[in-house]
Amino acid sequence: MQPADIARIALVTDPRVSPDGRTVAFVVTHVDVDDNVYRNAVWIAAADGSAPPRPFSAGEHGDGQPVWSPDGRWLAFTSRRGDDRKATLHVAPVDGPGEVRTLCARDEAIEEPAWSPDGSRIAFASRERTSRLDGPDERARPPRRIERLFTRLDGEGWTVDRPRSVFVVPVDGSAAPRVVAGGPFEHGGPAWAPDGATIAVTAARYEDWDVSPLLTDVHLVDPAGASEPRAVTRRTFAHQMPSWSPDGTRIAALAEDARVVHSHSQVVVIDVATGEERVLTAELDRQCLPMPGARSPVWDDDGLLFSCEDHGSVHVRRVPAAGGPSAPVVGGRRWVTGYDAAGGTLVFTATTATSLPDLFVLDPDGSERRLTAVGDVFHAAVPPREPERFTVPSTGGGEIDAWLVRPAEPAGERAPVLLSIHGGPMTQYGESWFDEFQMWTGAGYAVVYCNPHGSTGGTQAWARAIRAPEAEVEPGTGWGGIDADDVLTVLDAALAANPDLDPDRVGVLGGSYGGYLTSWLIGHTDRFVAACSERAVNNLESLEWASDVAGFFRFEIGVDHVRRPDVYRRMSPVTYVQDVRTPVLILHSENDLRCPINQADQLFVALRMLGRPVEYHRFDGESHGLSRNGSPRHRILRAEIILDWFARHLGGRAPARS
């Protein structure tokens, strides 16, 4: 695979089953390099495979988020239409007469559409602009009034004067959307009660929400907006993605204990009358909020379907709503990126390390059928490389999940090696197709990657192992402790077991937390020939002052930076910058709010002043997720820069420029 092949990628996401279980709606995404955009279209397929999948929408406008009407005759979906590219909400008949009907157009994105049980209204979430933003002249606006933390969000910009609210709009287009749960609080996850009399939403609607652990409650909202939301839960967890039981007496949700980070998100069931909660998945001890792949739990008779991470894979499991052990429904070495069930039909989208995501249906006998083949053309043109999975004992106890992908054509008798470190740190690498690994192996590199302590995919204790030693609750080694040891242990094991890998030509790279650990490692060892530190955390103390989630990291580290700045400085790569001798490529986005651009500036300024080899690229108009959802041209250019850098230092093949 070459960087230009990013333009060939097609993805299948967001499967939704019709109420009768006979038809599946889903989204297909293609890359349009010429216009530098992603094209999304809603498609539909017969669940029994009796007819080939077909496009439901044109896909020229960013269509997505399909949701079936209760009678299965209509699909609602979001788009961006018109010359001004406003966010729009539409309904269209699936079969039979009728045309696409536009229900509303907004300046802000429309998210999480949900039909009322009688099919007459749709609830959705969207940001609500305040009067301060009226008028085109920014110089004439009054200043932002800021009284709380968390005023911005990466990829969104300022949110303090754009709170996320829940709206209701009639499907017949007779009225404009009406706010039913509004600012200054942030709301999400609208879910209608079966009788249509109320809507469940999640929000942190309490006075000190910004300076205490962010515990979002489930609230009940009047669809007419005639009364204030009423809390059902009592600041027990951070709840999200609620879904009602068919009889309307219970609400399922995903919930985590935000007082100690990391805490696995669990499936909980809430008694609507009493607010009593039961955690259903604690004994499983796995993260039940995979990214990508998370959605609200799906009620399935007397049980709930949910997805969870497990040692590099994401599976679908079922747990009894009354409590008891969960059982696998969709397993295997793969990553389930979406699922849904209705009318006796369960569908899911899944990817593997060698295949882009496609749509599958699970038959009653447990067999699976693939309904789409969107990635086949791509894989025929760009044959994927299969990773080799292995485990390595950690010095901190337990086994580290690890993988090695060998190069398509080694650049020399022994292959140069790239050690890749994932972000998070509370995420996982695993059994999913990753364009970057395929590009690097295509350039002649062997790629080694793993899930060190601090990652998810295993136990909660494994993920919490890198909290600061000074933490009063669940102390660990701190960032740059057992996590750094683990990735080096995996690298050593891979080199020792594979004499075709060149131990004298090893590079290291990673983004976000992976960029942190890259910067950390080159300040503590000279074993790497070159490094790429991308959108990295280089100064934990200044990050906690300036990030969009400034004030949050104290729950992850275990102490705060105001009272214990020494802890943050000790764990910061810039503290050890004078020991860096490795040539460093720095990549960062101008609009990154999660790891602000000054994180890259600090590393670059220090290395340049010290006369160390460093190269720095800043991407205009991009946020923290450049490598995943940045503009297609920037994604291609970024890949070319990385491959060119390592070709100069490790001897791999330079990329063909687009």
Side-chain angles (χ1 to χ4, degrees), residues 627-646:
S627 64
R628 301 179 295 272
N629 52 34
S631 71
R633 292 181 189 173
H634 274 167
R635 284 180 61 192
I636 292 171
L637 180 58
R638 166 192 168 275
E640 291 173 346
I641 291 170
I642 292 173
L643 288 177
D644 177 73
W645 172 259
F646 284 113

Side-chain angles (χ1 to χ4, degrees), residues 158-213:
W158 286 99
T159 58
V160 65
D161 43 16
R162 299 163 54 233
R164 193 168 189 259
S165 302
V166 171
F167 297 76
V168 171
V169 62
V171 171
D172 62 8
S174 60
R178 178 176 59 252
V179 177
V180 297
F185 305 105
E186 296 275 313
H187 298 83
W192 291 84
D195 62 3
T198 188
I199 301 172
V201 303
T202 56
R205 296 178 62 96
Y206 52 91
E207 182 60 31
D208 61 344
W209 63 267
D210 64 319
V211 292
S212 61

Side-chain angles (χ1 to χ4, degrees), residues 18-30:
S18 61
D20 62 8
R22 298 174 60 185
T23 310
V24 188
F26 55 98
V27 177
V28 177
T29 301
H30 290 91

Side-chain angles (χ1 to χ4, degrees), residues 69 90 476 570 622 655:
S69 64
H90 309 271
R570 187 188 69 238
E622 300 290 357

Side-chain angles (χ1 to χ4, degrees), residues 406-582:
R406 299 183 187 276
E409 297 177 9
E413 292 184 3
R414 305 177 82 184
V417 179
L418 293 179
L419 173 65
S420 180
I421 307 172
H422 68 62
M426 293 83 67
T427 55
Q428 66 165 358
Y429 270 152
E431 307 292 345
S432 63
W433 192 86
F434 192 23
D435 58 350
E436 299 192 38
F437 294 165
Q438 299 297 330
M439 282 187 285
W440 301 339
T441 59
Y445 300 99
V447 182
V448 176
Y449 54 103
C450 66
N451 290 328
H453 277 86
S455 307
T456 53
T459 66
Q460 185 169 271
W462 183 277
R464 288 181 174 180
I466 60 172
R467 286 168 56 81
E470 294 83 359
E472 293 185 5
V473 178
E474 298 279 354
T477 68
W479 288 24
I482 188 60
D483 48 350
D485 292 343
D486 280 355
V487 296
L488 293 179
T489 297
V490 166
L491 176 62
D492 289 338
L495 293 173
N498 298 278
D500 56 324
L501 307 185
D502 192 341
D504 296 323
R505 289 193 295 161
V506 180
V508 61
L509 72 169
S512 194
Y513 164 80
Y516 163 88
L517 208 48
T518 296
S519 297
W520 176 272
L521 287 172
I522 61 176
H524 290 78
T525 178
D526 294 332
R527 68 180 299 174
F528 298 105
V529 177
C532 173
S533 180
E534 183 177 11
R535 61 181 185 276
V537 177
N538 291 306
N539 187 330
L540 271 168
E541 184 183 13
S542 65
L543 181 78
E544 185 67 321
W545 289 117
S547 172
D548 62 339
V549 290
F552 169 83
F553 290 98
R554 72 187 189 276
F555 301 118
E556 184 171 341
I557 302 299
V559 296
D560 72 71
H561 70 303
V562 177
R563 297 173 180 86
R564 292 301 307 269
D566 58 306
V567 174
Y568 285 73
R569 292 168 189 164
R570 187 188 69 238
M571 292 192 297
S572 293
V574 292
T575 300
Y576 311 95
V577 72
Q578 294 188 64
D579 297 321
V580 174
R581 298 292 188 274
T582 307

Side-chain angles (χ1 to χ4, degrees), residues 367-389:
S367 62
E368 299 172 6
R369 286 180 292 108
R370 187 168 68 145
L371 297 182
T372 62
V374 172
D376 284 5
V377 173
F378 175 85
H379 293 308
V382 186
R385 301 291 296 168
E386 178 84 43
E388 302 168 20
R389 190 181 189 280

Side-chain angles (χ1 to χ4, degrees), residues 118-468:
D118 64 1
S120 67
R121 295 161 291 176
I122 293 178
F124 63 87
S126 183
R127 295 205 172 276
E128 180 186 6
R129 295 188 177 186
T130 65
S131 60
R132 197 199 77 82
L133 296 175
D134 292 341
D137 188 356
E138 292 184 359
R139 297 172 300 173
R141 294 175 185 168
R144 287 184 173 89
R145 180 176 177 177
I146 297 174
E147 300 175 294
R148 300 183 186 276
L149 301 176
F150 309 119
T151 57
R152 299 169 297 153
L153 186 63
D154 184 70
E156 295 266 2
W158 286 99
T159 58
V160 65
D161 43 16
R162 299 163 54 233
R164 193 168 189 259
S165 302
V166 171
F167 297 76
V168 171
V169 62
V171 171
D172 62 8
S174 60
R178 178 176 59 252
V179 177
V180 297
F185 305 105
E186 296 275 313
H187 298 83
W192 291 84
D195 62 3
T198 188
I199 301 172
V201 303
T202 56
R205 296 178 62 96
Y206 52 91
E207 182 60 31
D208 61 344
W209 63 267
D210 64 319
V211 292
S212 61
L214 191 57
L215 301 175
T216 50
D217 283 313
V218 175
H219 292 76
L220 300 185
V221 174
D222 176 8
S227 59
E228 285 293 301
R230 176 176 67 84
V232 178
T233 57
R234 301 175 181 85
R235 296 178 64 175
T236 48
F237 298 107
H239 299 85
Q240 56 184 311
M241 302 182 183
S243 63
W244 288 82
S245 64
D247 64 4
T249 63
R250 294 165 293 173
I251 297 173
L254 298 177
E256 66 175 294
D257 184 354
R259 294 167 294 186
V260 181
V261 178
H262 168 79
S263 292
H264 284 347
S265 287
Q266 307 286 356
V267 178
V268 301
V269 170
I270 306 155
D271 185 286
V272 175
T274 66
E276 180 183 352
E277 295 186 64
R278 169 176 286 184
V279 179
L280 301 182
T281 53
E283 290 185 4
L284 183 62
D285 199 8
R286 291 292 184 271
Q287 169 65 297
C288 298
L289 186 73
M291 290 294 181
R295 62 151 298 170
S296 56
V298 176
W299 289 85
D300 179 45
D301 295 328
D302 60 348
L304 286 156
L305 300 173
F306 66 98
S307 59
C308 69
E309 299 179 0
D310 190 22
H311 294 286
S313 292
V314 173
H315 299 148
V316 177
R317 299 180 68 91
R318 187 180 186 277
V319 64
S326 66
V329 177
V330 178
R333 287 181 56 179
R334 57 184 165 186
W335 193 300
V336 175
T337 58
Y339 68 97
D340 194 27
T345 299
L346 189 150
V347 299
F348 62 95
T349 51
T351 174
T352 70
T354 57
S355 63
L356 288 162
D358 264 314
L359 176 66
F360 301 81
V361 61
L362 184 69
D363 286 328
D365 63 1
S367 62
E368 299 172 6
R369 286 180 292 108
R370 187 168 68 145
L371 297 182
T372 62
V374 172
D376 284 5
V377 173
F378 175 85
H379 293 308
V382 186
R385 301 291 296 168
E386 178 84 43
E388 302 168 20
R389 190 181 189 280
F390 62 103
T391 59
V392 181
S394 170
T395 57
E399 297 282 328
I400 310 165
D401 295 315
W403 293 263
L404 165 66
V405 193
R406 299 183 187 276
E409 297 177 9
E413 292 184 3
R414 305 177 82 184
V417 179
L418 293 179
L419 173 65
S420 180
I421 307 172
H422 68 62
M426 293 83 67
T427 55
Q428 66 165 358
Y429 270 152
E431 307 292 345
S432 63
W433 192 86
F434 192 23
D435 58 350
E436 299 192 38
F437 294 165
Q438 299 297 330
M439 282 187 285
W440 301 339
T441 59
Y445 300 99
V447 182
V448 176
Y449 54 103
C450 66
N451 290 328
H453 277 86
S455 307
T456 53
T459 66
Q460 185 169 271
W462 183 277
R464 288 181 174 180
I466 60 172
R467 286 168 56 81

